[in-house]
């Protein structure tokens, strides 16, 4: 990762992620399509992103999702953590995922 | 406020639904003749998927609409002079559809009932709105998915053509019919996706074609396009034909996405990996209730999973006849199955 890229929020690693009620997704042959039911807008992610999304939903935390994905993809944990945090930041920005509030 | 139920009778009593046919995967029963309805064969759509169409006077329709409660405009299309051409309202228990010179319709929320009023000055083909918008809506409300596509059947397999308006999908479709393909539909294709595959259903039995394109079809092949329909004010720019059509669902075996442009160097077929053209071909984009959108996404994912999708790049100046011939060759060689 170059030093000019914006830093992502490392604290996300210890949070749990879920899809809001207004977001659904389906797998297509070459991508995963995420739909925001409130806006009617579609978002496409590549197969790697689709796998990240599925694991994120099932894992108790982003950190554990990264560990699982590192094993699946055979990549270094640090690299996957960085990629996953960037992915989560993008989805959060588009309100396609939300952080589970343990205190709620 | 009135709530529409599937068993509601119009003011004035229960009319006899004497006219029957199939369209968009529905058994259609109407109290008045619908000339462009496909007559169903012995094996029709499931009995649960049917719609009844009853005709109302203008005053009865106005009263019904007023009783149904407040409406919300969800779709409009306008003429170049900004006069309304097509208006779709969301009603508390259904949808209202109005078309300039094409009358007014109300469709119940479950799609099982339709009420219809003719326009003040009814043209010979005023019912086109029924096939262009109303029945596709009823089909979608009953669980089918409608795509903005034309479709033909070759050797018992359906092939859909979808493209931006003006690309020539209707012309390509009719050249294929003139060359021996069976006509399934033009402009709106109803499909049903299931675990075993996707089924394409016939639509209305009429097609409008540019007179110049009609003239390009060899005279010996024109009878395959069926009867030429009587002209009306809308026919100044089009010739309407009534081709023989399939009367039952057909397995959808390929979707061809046509595009023309300067970037296309030669007529070429390529496997399409991008989901966006399929998502963009959804008909009735005004159906935005979350359950409708969720069901639609699932249906399209199933279509994409089970049906080969092929992109066809068409250089500017390529005739619809040449595209049709190339497409027919592509199907004949089984290349749609290899993508």
């Amino acid at each position: 990762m170059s030093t000019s890229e914006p830093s992502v929020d490392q604290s996300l690693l210890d949070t749990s992620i879920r899809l809001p009620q207004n977001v659904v997704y389906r797998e297509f042959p070459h991508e995963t399509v995420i739909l925001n039911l409130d806006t009617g807008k579609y978002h496409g992610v590549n197969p790697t992103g689709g796998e990240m999304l599925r694991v994120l939903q099932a894992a108790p935390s982003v950190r554990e999702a990264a560990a699982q994905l590192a094993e699946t993809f055979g990549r270094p944990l640090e690299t996957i953590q960085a990629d996953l945090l960037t992915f989560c930041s993008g989805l959060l920005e588009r309100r396609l995922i939300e952080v589970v509030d343990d205190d709620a | 406020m009135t709530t529409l139920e599937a068993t509601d009778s119009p003011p004035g009593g229960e009319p006899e639904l004497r006219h029957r046919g199939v369209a968009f995967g529905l058994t259609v029963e109407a109290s008045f003749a619908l000339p462009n309805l496909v007559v169903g064969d012995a094996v029709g759509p499931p009995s649960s998927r049917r719609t009844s169409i009853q005709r109302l006077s203008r005053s009865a329709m106005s009263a019904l609409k007023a009783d149904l409660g407040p409406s919300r405009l969800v779709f409009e299309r306008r003429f170049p002079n900004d006069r309304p051409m097509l208006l779709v309202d969301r009603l508390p228990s259904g949808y209202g559809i109005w078309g300039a010179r094409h009358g007014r319709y109300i469709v119940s929320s479950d799609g099982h009932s339709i009420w219809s009023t003719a326009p003040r000055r009814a043209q010979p083909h005023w019912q086109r709105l029924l096939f262009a918008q109303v029945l596709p809506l009823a089909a979608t409300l009953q669980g089918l998915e409608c795509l903005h596509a034309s479709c033909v059947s070759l050797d018992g397999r359906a092939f859909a053509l979808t493209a931006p308006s003006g690309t020539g999908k209707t012309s390509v479709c009719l050249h294929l019919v003139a060359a021996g393909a069976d006509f399934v539909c033009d402009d709106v294709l109803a499909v049903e996706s299931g675990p075993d595959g996707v089924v394409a259903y016939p639509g209305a039995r009429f097609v409008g074609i540019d007179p110049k394109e009609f003239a390009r079809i060899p005279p010996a092949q024109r009878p395959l396009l069926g009867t030429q329909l009587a002209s009306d004010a809308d026919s100044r720019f089009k010739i309407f034909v009534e081709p023989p059509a399939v009367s039952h669902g057909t397995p959808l075996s390929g979707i061809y996405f046509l595009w023309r442009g300067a970037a296309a160097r030669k007529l070429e077929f390529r496997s399409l990996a991008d989901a966006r053209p399929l998502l963009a071909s959804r008909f009735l984009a005004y159906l935005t209730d979350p359950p409708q959108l969720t069901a639609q996404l699932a249906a399209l994912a199933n279509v994409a999973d089970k049906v080969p999708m092929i992109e066809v790049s068409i250089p500017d100046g390529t005739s619809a006849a040449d595209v049709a011939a190339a497409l027919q060759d592509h199907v004949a060689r089984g290349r749609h199955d290899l993508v």
Side-chain angles (χ1 to χ4, degrees), chain B residues 114-135:
Chain B
I114 298 170
W115 291 267
S116 159
T117 298
R120 279 185 202 281
R121 294 185 209 92
Q123 302 281 335
H125 306 300
W126 68 271
Q127 295 157 9
R128 277 179 212 149
L129 184 61
L130 181 66
F131 294 98
Q133 294 285 329
V134 180
L135 285 174

Side-chain angles (χ1 to χ4, degrees), chain B residues 289-307:
Chain B
D289 290 354
Q292 290 165 340
L293 286 176
T294 304
Q296 201 174 57
L297 182 64
L300 292 178
N302 198 44
V303 169
D305 182 50
K306 295 196 165 47
V307 182

Side-chain angles (χ1 to χ4, degrees), chain B residues 128 170 174 206-215 222 225-231 234-242:
Chain B
R128 277 179 212 149
T170 297
L174 287 181
F206 68 83
V207 187
I209 183 171
D210 185 315
K212 290 181 191 166
E213 200 60 53
F214 185 82
R222 285 178 202 161
L225 297 182
T227 312
Q228 193 169 330
L229 299 174
S231 300
D234 289 340
S235 301
R236 283 175 293 167
F237 308 109
K238 285 197 175 172
I239 290 173
F240 286 92
V241 293
E242 192 176 49

Side-chain angles (χ1 to χ4, degrees), chain B residues 73-274:
Chain B
L73 183 68
V74 293
F75 180 82
E76 63 178 329
R77 193 180 290 156
R78 292 184 174 265
F79 291 107
N81 63 8
D82 206 38
R83 291 183 67 182
M85 180 196 300
L86 172 67
L87 300 173
V88 180
D89 292 314
R90 184 74 163 97
L91 302 166
S93 54
Y95 292 84
I97 299 178
W98 172 90
R101 301 194 304 273
H102 287 81
R104 185 181 294 279
Y105 297 82
I106 289 177
V107 182
S108 62
S109 291
D110 59 8
H112 285 291
S113 298
I114 298 170
W115 291 267
S116 159
T117 298
R120 279 185 202 281
R121 294 185 209 92
Q123 302 281 335
H125 306 300
W126 68 271
Q127 295 157 9
R128 277 179 212 149
L129 184 61
L130 181 66
F131 294 98
Q133 294 285 329
V134 180
L135 285 174
L137 173 60
T140 305
L141 293 172
Q142 293 192 42
L144 295 154
E145 184 58 39
C146 285
L147 304 176
H148 183 204
S150 302
C151 187
V152 297
S153 172
L154 290 158
D155 296 325
R157 294 172 303 159
F159 296 91
L161 312 172
T162 180
S165 294
T167 308
K169 62 179 179 298
T170 297
S171 299
V172 172
C173 173
L174 287 181
H175 276 284
L176 286 165
V177 173
D182 292 320
F183 177 73
V184 176
C185 69
D186 180 50
D187 206 45
V188 187
L189 172 64
V191 299
E192 181 175 27
S193 55
D196 297 327
V198 181
V199 177
Y201 288 105
R205 269 192 69 208
F206 68 83
V207 187
I209 183 171
D210 185 315
K212 290 181 191 166
E213 200 60 53
F214 185 82
R216 292 189 189 111
I217 292 176
Q221 292 179 322
R222 285 178 202 161
L224 289 172
L225 297 182
T227 312
Q228 193 169 330
L229 299 174
S231 300
D232 60 20
D234 289 340
S235 301
R236 283 175 293 167
F237 308 109
K238 285 197 175 172
I239 290 173
F240 286 92
V241 293
E242 192 176 49
V246 298
S247 58
H248 49 79
T250 307
L252 185 62
S253 301
I255 305 177
Y256 289 87
F257 296 85
L258 315 179
W259 69 273
R260 283 184 185 269
R265 292 190 182 181
K266 58 177 182 172
L267 183 54
E268 207 170 28
F269 295 76
R270 275 187 300 267
S271 170
L272 183 63
D274 189 351

